[in-house]
Coordinates of all heavy atoms in Angstrom, one line a residue:
M150 N 12.7 53.6 49.0 CA 12.2 53.1 50.2 C 12.5 51.6 50.3 O 12.8 51.1 51.4 CB 10.6 53.3 50.2 CG 10.0 53.1 51.6 SD 10.5 54.4 52.7 CE 9.4 54.1 54.0
A151 N 12.6 50.9 49.2 CA 12.9 49.5 49.2 C 14.3 49.3 49.7 O 14.6 48.3 50.4 CB 12.7 48.9 47.8
S152 N 15.2 50.3 49.3 CA 16.6 50.1 49.8 C 16.7 50.3 51.3 O 17.5 49.6 51.9 CB 17.5 51.1 49.1 OG 17.1 52.4 49.4
G153 N 15.8 51.1 51.9 CA 15.8 51.2 53.3 C 15.3 50.0 54.0 O 15.9 49.5 55.0
V154 N 14.3 49.4 53.4 CA 13.8 48.1 54.0 C 14.8 47.0 53.9 O 15.0 46.2 54.8 CB 12.5 47.7 53.3 CG1 12.0 46.3 53.7 CG2 11.4 48.7 53.5
A155 N 15.5 46.9 52.7 CA 16.5 45.9 52.5 C 17.6 46.1 53.5 O 18.2 45.2 54.0 CB 17.0 46.0 51.1
Y156 N 18.0 47.4 53.8 CA 19.1 47.7 54.7 C 18.8 47.1 56.1 O 19.6 46.5 56.7 CB 19.2 49.2 54.8 CG 20.4 49.6 55.6 CD1 21.7 49.6 55.2 CD2 20.2 50.1 56.9 CE1 22.7 50.0 55.9 CE2 21.2 50.5 57.7 CZ 22.5 50.5 57.2 OH 23.5 50.9 58.0
F157 N 17.5 47.3 56.5 CA 17.2 46.8 57.9 C 17.0 45.3 57.8 O 17.2 44.6 58.8 CB 16.0 47.5 58.4 CG 16.3 48.9 58.9 CD1 15.8 50.0 58.2 CD2 17.1 49.2 60.0 CE1 16.1 51.3 58.6 CE2 17.4 50.5 60.4 CZ 16.9 51.5 59.7
A158 N 16.5 44.8 56.7 CA 16.3 43.3 56.6 C 17.6 42.6 56.6 O 17.6 41.4 57.0 CB 15.5 43.0 55.3
S159 N 18.7 43.2 56.2 CA 20.0 42.5 56.2 C 20.6 42.5 57.6 O 21.7 41.9 57.8 CB 20.9 43.3 55.3 OG 21.2 44.6 55.8
G160 N 19.9 43.0 58.6 CA 20.4 42.9 60.0 C 21.0 44.2 60.5 O 21.5 44.2 61.7
A161 N 21.0 45.3 59.8 CA 21.5 46.5 60.3 C 20.6 47.1 61.3 O 19.4 46.8 61.3 CB 21.7 47.5 59.1
T162 N 21.1 48.0 62.1 CA 20.3 48.7 63.1 C 20.3 50.2 62.9 O 21.0 50.7 62.0 CB 20.9 48.4 64.5 OG1 22.2 49.0 64.6 CG2 21.0 46.9 64.8
A163 N 19.4 50.8 63.6 CA 19.2 52.3 63.4 C 20.5 53.0 63.8 O 20.8 54.1 63.2 CB 18.1 52.8 64.3
E164 N 21.4 52.5 64.6 CA 22.6 53.1 65.0 C 23.6 53.1 63.8 O 24.5 54.0 63.8 CB 23.3 52.4 66.2 CG 22.5 52.6 67.5 CD 21.3 51.6 67.6 OE1 21.4 50.5 67.0 OE2 20.4 52.0 68.3
T165 N 23.5 52.2 62.9 CA 24.4 52.1 61.8 C 23.8 52.7 60.5 O 24.4 52.5 59.4 CB 24.8 50.6 61.5 OG1 23.7 49.9 61.2 CG2 25.5 50.1 62.7
L166 N 22.7 53.4 60.6 CA 22.0 53.9 59.4 C 22.8 55.1 58.9 O 23.1 56.0 59.6 CB 20.6 54.4 59.9 CG 19.8 55.0 58.8 CD1 19.3 53.9 57.8 CD2 18.5 55.7 59.4
P167 N 23.2 55.0 57.6 CA 24.0 56.1 57.0 C 23.1 57.3 56.8 O 21.9 57.2 56.7 CB 24.4 55.5 55.6 CG 24.0 54.1 55.6 CD 23.1 53.8 56.7
V168 N 23.7 58.5 56.9 CA 23.0 59.7 56.8 C 22.3 59.8 55.4 O 21.1 60.2 55.4 CB 24.0 60.9 56.9 CG1 23.3 62.2 56.7 CG2 24.6 60.9 58.3
W169 N 22.9 59.3 54.3 CA 22.3 59.4 53.0 C 21.0 58.6 53.0 O 20.0 59.0 52.3 CB 23.2 59.0 51.9 CG 23.6 57.6 51.9 CD1 24.7 57.1 52.5 CD2 22.9 56.5 51.3 NE1 24.7 55.7 52.3 CE2 23.7 55.3 51.6 CE3 21.8 56.4 50.5 CZ2 23.3 54.1 51.1 CZ3 21.4 55.2 50.1 CH2 22.1 54.0 50.4
L170 N 21.0 57.4 53.6 CA 19.8 56.6 53.6 C 18.7 57.2 54.4 O 17.5 57.1 54.0 CB 20.2 55.2 54.1 CG 19.1 54.1 54.0 CD1 18.6 54.0 52.6 CD2 19.6 52.8 54.5
A171 N 19.0 57.8 55.6 CA 18.0 58.5 56.4 C 17.4 59.6 55.6 O 16.2 59.8 55.6 CB 18.6 58.9 57.7
G172 N 18.3 60.4 54.9 CA 17.8 61.5 54.0 C 16.9 61.0 52.9 O 15.9 61.6 52.6
L173 N 17.3 59.9 52.3 CA 16.5 59.3 51.2 C 15.1 58.8 51.7 O 14.1 59.0 51.1 CB 17.2 58.1 50.6 CG 16.5 57.4 49.4 CD1 16.4 58.4 48.2 CD2 17.3 56.2 49.0
M174 N 15.1 58.2 52.9 CA 13.8 57.8 53.5 C 13.0 59.0 53.8 O 11.7 58.9 53.6 CB 14.1 56.9 54.7 CG 14.8 55.6 54.3 SD 15.4 54.6 55.7 CE 13.9 54.0 56.4
L175 N 13.5 60.0 54.4 CA 12.8 61.2 54.7 C 12.2 61.9 53.4 O 11.1 62.2 53.4 CB 13.7 62.2 55.5 CG 13.0 63.5 55.8 CD1 11.9 63.3 56.8 CD2 14.0 64.5 56.4
L176 N 13.1 62.0 52.4 CA 12.6 62.6 51.2 C 11.5 61.8 50.5 O 10.5 62.3 50.0 CB 13.8 62.6 50.2 CG 13.6 63.3 48.9 CD1 13.2 64.8 49.1 CD2 14.8 63.2 48.0
T177 N 11.6 60.5 50.6 CA 10.5 59.6 50.1 C 9.2 59.8 50.8 O 8.1 60.0 50.2 CB 10.9 58.1 50.2 OG1 12.1 57.9 49.4 CG2 9.8 57.2 49.6
C178 N 9.3 59.9 52.1 CA 8.0 60.2 52.9 C 7.5 61.5 52.7 O 6.2 61.7 52.5 CB 8.4 60.0 54.4 SG 8.7 58.3 54.9
V179 N 8.3 62.6 52.5 CA 7.8 63.9 52.2 C 7.2 64.0 50.9 O 6.1 64.5 50.7 CB 9.0 64.9 52.4 CG1 8.6 66.3 51.8 CG2 9.4 65.1 53.8
N180 N 7.8 63.3 49.9 CA 7.3 63.3 48.5 C 5.9 62.6 48.5 O 5.0 63.1 47.9 CB 8.3 62.5 47.6 CG 7.8 62.5 46.2 OD1 7.3 63.5 45.7 ND2 8.0 61.4 45.5
F181 N 5.8 61.5 49.2 CA 4.5 60.8 49.3 C 3.4 61.7 49.9 O 2.3 61.8 49.3 CB 4.7 59.5 50.1 CG 3.4 58.8 50.4 CD1 2.9 58.0 49.3 CD2 2.7 58.9 51.6 CE1 1.7 57.3 49.5 CE2 1.5 58.2 51.8 CZ 1.0 57.4 50.7
A182 N 3.8 62.4 50.9 CA 2.8 63.3 51.6 C 2.4 64.4 50.7 O 1.2 64.8 50.6 CB 3.4 63.8 52.9
V183 N 3.3 65.0 49.9 CA 3.0 66.1 49.0 C 2.1 65.6 47.9 O 1.1 66.2 47.5 CB 4.3 66.7 48.5 CG1 4.0 67.6 47.3 CG2 5.0 67.5 49.6
V184 N 2.4 64.4 47.3 CA 1.6 63.9 46.2 C 0.2 63.6 46.7 O -0.8 64.0 46.0 CB 2.3 62.7 45.6 CG1 1.4 61.9 44.7 CG2 3.6 63.1 44.9
I185 N 0.1 63.0 47.8 CA -1.3 62.6 48.3 C -2.1 63.9 48.6 O -3.2 64.0 48.3 CB -1.2 61.8 49.6 CG1 -0.6 60.4 49.2 CG2 -2.5 61.7 50.3 CD1 -1.5 59.6 48.3
T186 N -1.4 64.9 49.2 CA -2.1 66.2 49.4 C -2.6 66.8 48.1 O -3.7 67.3 48.1 CB -1.2 67.1 50.2 OG1 -0.8 66.5 51.4 CG2 -1.8 68.5 50.5
L187 N -1.7 66.9 47.1 CA -2.1 67.5 45.8 C -3.2 66.7 45.2 O -4.1 67.4 44.6 CB -0.9 67.6 44.9 CG 0.2 68.6 45.3 CD1 1.4 68.5 44.4 CD2 -0.3 70.0 45.3
V188 N -3.2 65.4 45.3 CA -4.3 64.7 44.7 C -5.6 65.0 45.4 O -6.7 65.2 44.7 CB -4.0 63.1 44.7 CG1 -5.3 62.3 44.5 CG2 -2.9 62.8 43.8
F189 N -5.6 65.0 46.7 CA -6.9 65.4 47.4 C -7.3 66.8 47.2 O -8.5 67.0 47.0 CB -6.7 65.1 48.9 CG -6.7 63.7 49.3 CD1 -5.8 63.2 50.2 CD2 -7.8 62.9 48.9 CE1 -5.9 61.8 50.6 CE2 -7.8 61.6 49.3 CZ -6.9 61.0 50.1
V190 N -6.4 67.7 47.0 CA -6.8 69.1 46.7 C -7.4 69.2 45.3 O -8.5 69.8 45.1 CB -5.5 70.0 46.8 CG1 -5.8 71.4 46.1 CG2 -5.1 70.2 48.2
F191 N -6.8 68.5 44.3 CA -7.4 68.5 43.0 C -8.8 67.9 43.0 O -9.7 68.4 42.4 CB -6.5 67.7 42.0 CG -7.1 67.5 40.7 CD1 -7.1 68.6 39.8 CD2 -7.6 66.3 40.3 CE1 -7.7 68.4 38.5 CE2 -8.2 66.1 39.1 CZ -8.2 67.1 38.2
L192 N -9.0 66.7 43.7 CA -10.3 66.1 43.7 C -11.3 66.9 44.4 O -12.4 67.0 44.0 CB -10.1 64.7 44.4 CG -9.4 63.6 43.5 CD1 -9.3 62.3 44.3 CD2 -10.1 63.4 42.2
A193 N -10.9 67.6 45.5 CA -11.9 68.4 46.2 C -12.3 69.6 45.3 O -13.5 70.0 45.3 CB -11.2 68.9 47.5
K194 N -11.3 70.2 44.6 CA -11.7 71.3 43.6 C -12.6 70.8 42.6 O -13.6 71.4 42.2 CB -10.4 71.8 43.0 CG -10.6 72.9 42.0 CD -9.3 73.4 41.5 CE -9.4 74.5 40.5 NZ -9.7 74.0 39.1
A195 N -12.4 69.6 42.0 CA -13.2 69.0 40.9 C -14.6 68.8 41.5 O -15.6 69.0 40.8 CB -12.6 67.8 40.4
I196 N -14.7 68.2 42.7 CA -16.1 68.0 43.3 C -16.8 69.3 43.5 O -18.0 69.4 43.2 CB -15.9 67.1 44.5 CG1 -15.4 65.7 44.2 CG2 -17.2 67.1 45.3 CD1 -15.0 64.9 45.3
R197 N -16.1 70.3 44.0 CA -16.7 71.6 44.3 C -17.2 72.2 43.0 O -18.3 72.7 43.0 CB -15.7 72.5 45.0 CG -16.2 73.8 45.5 CD -15.2 74.5 46.4 NE -13.9 74.6 45.8 CZ -12.8 74.0 46.3 NH1 -12.9 73.2 47.3 NH2 -11.6 74.2 45.7
E198 N -16.4 72.1 42.0 CA -16.8 72.7 40.7 C -18.1 71.9 40.1 O -19.0 72.6 39.6 CB -15.7 72.5 39.6 CG -14.5 73.5 39.9 CD -13.4 73.2 38.9 OE1 -13.4 72.2 38.1 OE2 -12.4 74.0 38.9
S199 N -18.1 70.6 40.2 CA -19.2 69.9 39.7 C -20.5 70.2 40.4 O -21.6 70.2 39.9 CB -18.9 68.4 39.7 OG -18.9 67.9 41.1
K200 N -20.4 70.5 41.7 CA -21.6 70.8 42.5 C -22.1 72.2 42.1 O -23.3 72.5 42.2 CB -21.3 70.9 44.0 CG -21.1 69.5 44.6 CD -20.9 69.5 46.1 CE -20.7 68.1 46.6 NZ -20.4 68.1 48.0
H201 N -21.2 73.1 41.5 CA -21.6 74.4 41.0 C -22.0 74.3 39.6 O -22.4 75.3 39.0 CB -20.5 75.4 41.2 CG -20.3 75.8 42.6 ND1 -19.4 75.2 43.5 CD2 -21.0 76.7 43.4 CE1 -19.5 75.8 44.7 NE2 -20.5 76.7 44.6
G202 N -21.9 73.1 38.9 CA -22.4 73.0 37.6 C -21.4 73.2 36.5 O -21.8 73.5 35.3
Y203 N -20.1 73.2 36.7 CA -19.1 73.4 35.7 C -17.9 72.6 36.0 O -17.8 72.0 37.1 CB -18.8 74.8 35.5 CG -18.0 75.5 36.6 CD1 -16.6 75.5 36.6 CD2 -18.6 76.0 37.7 CE1 -15.9 76.0 37.6 CE2 -17.9 76.5 38.8 CZ -16.5 76.5 38.7 OH -15.8 77.1 39.7
T204 N -16.9 72.5 35.1 CA -15.7 71.9 35.4 C -14.5 72.6 34.7 O -14.8 73.3 33.6 CB -15.7 70.4 35.0 OG1 -14.4 69.8 35.4 CG2 -15.8 70.2 33.5
T205 N -13.3 72.5 35.2 CA -12.2 73.1 34.5 C -11.2 71.9 34.2 O -10.1 72.1 33.6 CB -11.4 74.1 35.4 OG1 -11.1 73.5 36.6 CG2 -12.3 75.3 35.6
A206 N -11.6 70.7 34.5 CA -10.7 69.5 34.3 C -11.2 68.8 33.0 O -12.3 68.3 33.0 CB -10.8 68.6 35.5
V207 N -10.4 68.8 32.0 CA -10.7 68.2 30.7 C -10.9 66.7 30.9 O -10.1 66.0 31.5 CB -9.6 68.4 29.7 CG1 -9.9 67.7 28.4 CG2 -9.4 69.9 29.5
G208 N -12.1 66.2 30.5 CA -12.3 64.7 30.5 C -12.9 64.2 31.8 O -13.3 63.0 31.9
L209 N -13.0 65.0 32.9 CA -13.4 64.5 34.1 C -14.9 64.4 34.2 O -15.5 63.4 34.7 CB -12.9 65.3 35.3 CG -12.9 64.7 36.7 CD1 -12.2 63.4 36.7 CD2 -12.3 65.7 37.7
Y210 N -15.6 65.5 33.8 CA -17.1 65.5 33.8 C -17.6 66.0 32.4 O -17.9 67.1 32.2 CB -17.6 66.5 34.9 CG -17.3 66.1 36.3 CD1 -16.3 66.7 37.0 CD2 -18.1 65.1 36.9 CE1 -16.0 66.3 38.3 CE2 -17.8 64.8 38.2 CZ -16.8 65.4 38.9 OH -16.6 65.0 40.2
P211 N -17.7 65.1 31.5 CA -18.1 65.5 30.1 C -19.5 66.0 30.1 O -19.9 66.7 29.1 CB -17.9 64.2 29.3 CG -17.9 63.1 30.2 CD -17.4 63.7 31.5
E212 N -20.3 65.7 31.0 CA -21.7 66.2 31.1 C -21.9 67.6 31.6 O -23.0 68.2 31.5 CB -22.6 65.2 31.9 CG -22.3 65.3 33.4 CD -21.2 64.4 33.8 OE1 -20.5 63.7 33.0 OE2 -20.9 64.4 35.0
L213 N -20.8 68.2 32.0 CA -20.8 69.6 32.4 C -20.0 70.5 31.5 O -19.1 70.0 30.8 CB -20.1 69.7 33.8 CG -20.8 69.0 35.0 CD1 -19.9 69.0 36.2 CD2 -22.2 69.5 35.2
P214 N -20.3 71.8 31.4 CA -19.6 72.7 30.5 C -18.2 72.9 31.0 O -17.9 72.9 32.2 CB -20.4 74.0 30.6 CG -21.2 73.9 31.8 CD -21.4 72.5 32.1
L215 N -17.2 72.9 30.1 CA -15.8 73.1 30.4 C -15.5 74.5 30.3 O -15.7 75.2 29.3 CB -14.9 72.3 29.4 CG -13.4 72.5 29.5 CD1 -13.0 71.9 30.8 CD2 -12.7 71.8 28.4
L216 N -15.0 75.1 31.4 CA -14.6 76.5 31.5 C -13.1 76.7 31.6 O -12.4 75.8 32.1 CB -15.2 77.2 32.8 CG -16.8 77.1 32.9 CD1 -17.2 77.9 34.2 CD2 -17.5 77.6 31.7
D217 N -12.6 77.8 31.1 CA -11.2 78.2 31.3 C -11.0 78.5 32.8 O -11.8 79.3 33.3 CB -10.9 79.3 30.4 CG -9.4 79.7 30.5 OD1 -9.0 80.4 31.5 OD2 -8.6 79.3 29.6
S218 N -10.0 78.0 33.4 CA -9.8 78.2 34.8 C -9.4 79.6 35.2 O -9.7 80.0 36.3 CB -8.8 77.2 35.4 OG -7.5 77.4 34.8
K219 N -8.9 80.3 34.3 CA -8.4 81.7 34.6 C -9.5 82.8 34.2 O -9.7 83.7 34.9 CB -7.1 82.0 33.9 CG -6.0 81.2 34.4 CD -4.7 81.7 33.8 CE -3.6 80.8 34.2 NZ -2.8 80.3 34.7
T220 N -10.1 82.6 33.0 CA -11.0 83.6 32.5 C -12.5 83.3 32.8 O -13.3 84.1 32.8 CB -10.8 83.9 31.0 OG1 -11.1 82.7 30.3 CG2 -9.4 84.3 30.8
G221 N -12.8 82.0 32.9 CA -14.2 81.6 33.0 C -14.9 81.4 31.7 O -16.1 81.2 31.7
V222 N -14.2 81.6 30.6 CA -14.9 81.5 29.3 C -15.2 80.0 29.0 O -14.5 79.1 29.3 CB -13.9 82.0 28.2 CG1 -14.4 81.8 26.8 CG2 -13.6 83.5 28.4
V223 N -16.4 79.8 28.5 CA -16.8 78.4 28.1 C -16.0 77.9 27.0 O -16.0 78.5 25.9 CB -18.3 78.4 27.8 CG1 -18.7 77.0 27.4 CG2 -19.2 78.9 29.0
L224 N -15.3 76.8 27.2 CA -14.5 76.2 26.1 C -15.2 75.1 25.4 O -15.0 74.9 24.2 CB -13.2 75.6 26.7 CG -12.3 76.6 27.4 CD1 -11.1 75.9 28.1 CD2 -11.8 77.7 26.5
A225 N -16.1 74.4 26.1 CA -16.9 73.4 25.5 C -18.3 73.3 26.2 O -18.3 73.4 27.5 CB -16.2 72.0 25.6
E226 N -19.3 73.2 25.5 CA -20.7 73.1 26.1 C -20.8 71.7 26.7 O -20.1 70.8 26.4 CB -21.7 73.3 25.0 CG -21.7 74.7 24.4 CD -22.1 75.8 25.5 OE1 -22.9 75.5 26.4 OE2 -21.6 76.9 25.4
A227 N -21.8 71.7 27.6 CA -22.1 70.4 28.3 C -22.5 69.3 27.2 O -23.3 69.6 26.3 CB -23.3 70.6 29.2
G228 N -21.9 68.2 27.3 CA -22.1 67.1 26.4 C -21.4 67.1 25.1 O -21.3 66.1 24.4
A229 N -20.8 68.3 24.7 CA -20.1 68.4 23.4 C -18.9 67.5 23.4 O -18.6 66.9 22.3 CB -19.7 69.8 23.2
R230 N -18.2 67.4 24.5 CA -17.0 66.5 24.5 C -17.3 65.1 24.4 O -16.6 64.3 23.9 CB -16.2 66.8 25.8 CG -15.6 68.2 25.7 CD -14.9 68.6 27.0 NE -15.9 68.7 28.1 CZ -15.8 68.5 29.3 NH1 -14.6 68.1 29.8 NH2 -16.7 68.6 30.2
R231 N -18.5 64.7 25.0 CA -18.9 63.3 24.9 C -19.2 62.9 23.4 O -18.8 61.8 23.0 CB -20.2 63.1 25.7 CG -20.6 61.6 25.7 CD -21.8 61.4 26.6 NE -21.2 61.5 28.0 CZ -22.0 61.5 29.1 NH1 -23.3 61.5 29.0 NH2 -21.4 61.6 30.3
E232 N -19.7 63.8 22.6 CA -20.0 63.5 21.2 C -18.8 63.4 20.4 O -18.7 62.7 19.4 CB -20.9 64.6 20.7 CG -22.3 64.7 21.3 CD -23.0 66.0 21.0 OE1 -22.4 66.8 20.2 OE2 -24.1 66.2 21.5
N233 N -17.7 64.1 20.8 CA -16.5 64.1 20.0 C -15.6 62.9 20.4 O -14.5 62.8 19.8 CB -15.7 65.4 20.2 CG -16.4 66.6 19.6 OD1 -17.2 66.4 18.7 ND2 -16.2 67.8 20.2
R234 N -15.9 62.1 21.4 CA -15.0 61.0 21.8 C -14.8 60.0 20.7 O -13.7 59.5 20.6 CB -15.6 60.4 23.1 CG -15.3 61.1 24.3 CD -15.7 60.2 25.5 NE -15.4 60.9 26.7 CZ -15.8 60.5 27.9 NH1 -16.6 59.4 28.0 NH2 -15.5 61.2 29.0
G235 N -15.8 59.6 20.0 CA -15.7 58.6 19.0 C -15.1 59.0 17.7 O -14.8 58.1 16.9
K236 N -14.8 60.2 17.5 CA -14.3 60.7 16.2 C -12.8 60.6 16.2 O -12.1 60.7 17.1 CB -14.7 62.2 16.0 CG -16.2 62.2 15.8 CD -16.6 63.7 15.5 CE -18.1 63.7 15.3 NZ -18.6 65.1 15.1

């Protein structure tokens, strides 16, 4: 993205924009949108799980029991991970 800004800062116009630079700028914007979307999806899932009283995210909510995301088996009891932090 910085190369795109530098390109226009040097006095170039949109009419002289190389195809590769336009593609790079588009790819950067799409990548940014995908990453932001995935972060929001993960956070929404973590919040939803915490409201239901469990988590599948290691280290995010140590006061809740840690469950396996596929089987639902309890991997760590509530508070057990907090006790193991100092060891």
Side-chain angles (χ1 to χ4, degrees):
M150 195 69 167
S152 62
V154 173
Y156 183 81
F157 287 110
S159 68
T162 62
E164 290 81 27
T165 61
L166 182 68
V168 174
W169 67 268
L170 185 56
L173 181 65
M174 293 169 77
L175 178 65
L176 184 64
T177 301
C178 292
V179 168
N180 184 38
F181 177 76
V183 168
V184 168
I185 292 296
T186 301
L187 290 176
V188 167
F189 282 133
V190 166
F191 173 77
L192 288 176
K194 179 180 180 275
I196 291 169
R197 188 172 47 251
E198 288 176 352
S199 69
K200 287 182 180 178
H201 286 96
Y203 70 93
T204 185
T205 58
V207 176
L209 196 57
Y210 293 104
E212 67 278 1
L213 297 174
L215 176 65
L216 303 183
D217 184 279
S218 61
K219 293 187 187 285
T220 64
V222 174
V223 177
L224 300 175
E226 294 295 329
R230 293 173 291 150
R231 181 174 289 170
E232 296 166 3
N233 294 333
R234 280 187 179 172
K236 294 182 181 179

